[in-house]
Amino acid sequence: MKINFAFIALVALGSGCNSSKEPVADTSSSIAASSQSSASQNAPVVASDCPHDGKWALCSIERRLKQSGFVVKRVEDTTHRAGFAVKPAVFMLGKSRLEVFFYEDSATAARDAAKLDTLTAGPIGKPSQWGATPPTMIRSANIAAVLLSESPRQIERAINALTAGPPQPGSLR
């Protein structure tokens, strides 16, 4: 059996280099502490004063659209739309336009939506009030929304973002 004296000398030299009189810390516990502190730094934090009450608010709509990859630009518009009891908040999503009608509660939104033709997003039996772009009606909780877009991808993303529902009580986002 051959003994590798160079290896033994290297190990002995390495263990003798600690000139500190303090004991060497256990590396497994320092790694665990380090990973715990980084995990707590990565924990989601609610950084908004937007309500989490199961109803949509302007801030929660904007945040959800941004989280869905839209570049959101709020547009001041006081247009009243036929068939809707409230005036919309208007957003530009690139070349697309989204009008969101906020109601006090979901029952009021549902009553208004029941009077609308979902294909024209307007009063039943009346021509479209949205111009050449076909409207897409979206209903979720206390909102009714109309998206004007030529992009099937944007339509799908907006529908998914809004029909996922508003922030719920106790949720982090």
Side-chain angles (χ1 to χ4, degrees):
M1 175 169 140
K2 271 185 154 181
I3 298 177
N4 187 343
F5 289 107
F7 176 75
I8 292 173
L10 184 62
V11 170
L13 182 63
S15 65
C17 287
N18 186 5
S19 63
S20 167
K21 301 221 184 226
E22 297 177 16
V24 177
D26 178 22
T27 57
S28 63
S29 64
S30 64
I31 291 172
S34 152
S35 67
Q36 284 176 350
S37 67
S38 68
S40 65
Q41 291 171 353
N42 294 332
V45 176
V46 178
S48 170
D49 56 353
C50 201
H52 288 227
D53 59 2
K55 291 172 47 175
W56 286 109
L58 189 61
C59 54
S60 56
I61 291 283
E62 287 178 359
R63 184 175 14 175
R64 182 67 58 83
L65 291 169
K66 288 177 184 176
Q67 288 172 341
S68 298
F70 288 104
V71 175
V72 180
K73 181 180 177 193
R74 178 92 191 279
V75 178
E76 290 302 319
D77 191 340
T78 58
T79 305
H80 182 80
R81 297 290 185 178
F84 295 91
V86 295
K87 291 183 179 177
V90 181
F91 301 94
M92 293 305 296
L93 310 175
K95 294 180 182 178
S96 301
R97 179 180 173 99
L98 178 68
E99 296 193 16
V100 182
F101 301 85
F102 291 90
Y103 292 88
E104 189 63 34
D105 54 40
S106 60
T108 308
R111 274 194 300 276
D112 243 14
K115 300 174 193 169
L116 299 172
D117 182 339
T118 57
L119 295 178
T120 63
I124 296 172
K126 303 284 184 180
S128 178
Q129 59 187 325
W130 306 99
T133 306
T136 301
M137 277 280 298
I138 305 169
R139 269 274 302 120
S140 175
N142 64 308
I143 65 162
V146 177
L147 177 65
L148 303 171
S149 178
E150 297 287 339
S151 169
R153 178 176 283 163
Q154 280 195 341
I155 292 169
E156 181 180 20
R157 283 175 41 213
I159 289 171
N160 289 341
L162 298 179
T163 59
Q168 297 299 305
S171 68
L172 296 175
R173 302 206 281 161

